[in-house]
Amino acid sequence: MKTISSAATTVAVCLAFGCLPLGAAARADDGRPLIWNVSKAGDRAFQFRTGLRWSGLFSPSVGADTTMTAATKGSDGSREVPFRLWGSFALGAGATASGAWQVSAGAGYDPAIGRQALSLSQTGQWSATPAIDIAASRAVEASAIAGHSVGIVARQSVKVDFSDLGTSLRMDGVLDGRTRAAHTNLGMEKRLLRGVALTADISDPFRSSSATFGARVQRHW
């Protein structure tokens, strides 16, 4: 556990605080070296991801995640600004006539609880037909918190996008080695106006399932 913890902490802190020279920063393939993303992480919580990415050898990315909780009547919001450091780099990539794939490694460190993590992931995208695109990912993560044993979590996700219909279907699966529990989630998204979408999710449909519905607006700069 000490080996994993020390390695994860060293890599994450090193990446996030500039072991990679800023002068070497180059534009990513989409021309956006700055990473800025906002997503909903709960009923009253929002997650902000910021960072930088480099093109070239290993295509490294570094940054920090912050989660803030909004205050409501009778409930206080976030009084502090928690943050988690993260970093990732590519180990290999390839492309075919119908799609592309990439294998990457990452590290994370949460100073609030002393959690360190190392991960290995693979992502791929390809076109089944001119109107159907498929994206899949799978990852294995080893994490440890001071005083606790190392835990292994495996994740897999498949998303099928029907461009003609403006609709996508998604299935996520998680296997937690520490608790020996498996969870699945089925989701659907319907895109309306530019940047506006309606979503529906069903958690653990093969057990006592629960459904959630929502709408989101997403913009990129």
Side-chain angles (χ1 to χ4, degrees), residues 40-122:
K40 192 172 182 181
D43 292 339
R44 299 185 297 113
F46 293 87
Q47 179 173 295
F48 301 84
R49 165 161 286 204
T50 59
L52 293 172
R53 52 190 165 201
W54 287 257
S55 62
L57 185 63
F58 298 122
S59 301
S61 299
V62 298
D65 289 339
T66 302
T67 301
M68 298 294 292
T69 302
T72 61
K73 185 177 180 180
S75 177
D76 294 333
S78 298
R79 294 183 177 273
E80 299 180 353
V81 182
F83 68 95
R84 298 171 296 279
L85 307 176
W86 61 268
S88 66
F89 56 91
L91 297 177
T96 64
S98 60
W101 60 271
Q102 177 175 293
V103 178
S104 59
Y109 175 58
D110 188 339
I113 59 175
R115 181 181 183 272
Q116 304 92 25
L118 294 173
S119 62
L120 181 66
S121 62
Q122 181 182 32

Side-chain angles (χ1 to χ4, degrees), residues 155-173:
R155 297 181 174 87
Q156 184 160 333
S157 177
V158 177
K159 181 179 179 180
V160 182
D161 186 79
F162 303 89
S163 57
D164 289 349
L165 302 176
T167 303
S168 61
L169 302 177
R170 186 188 71 256
M171 182 176 68
D172 304 313

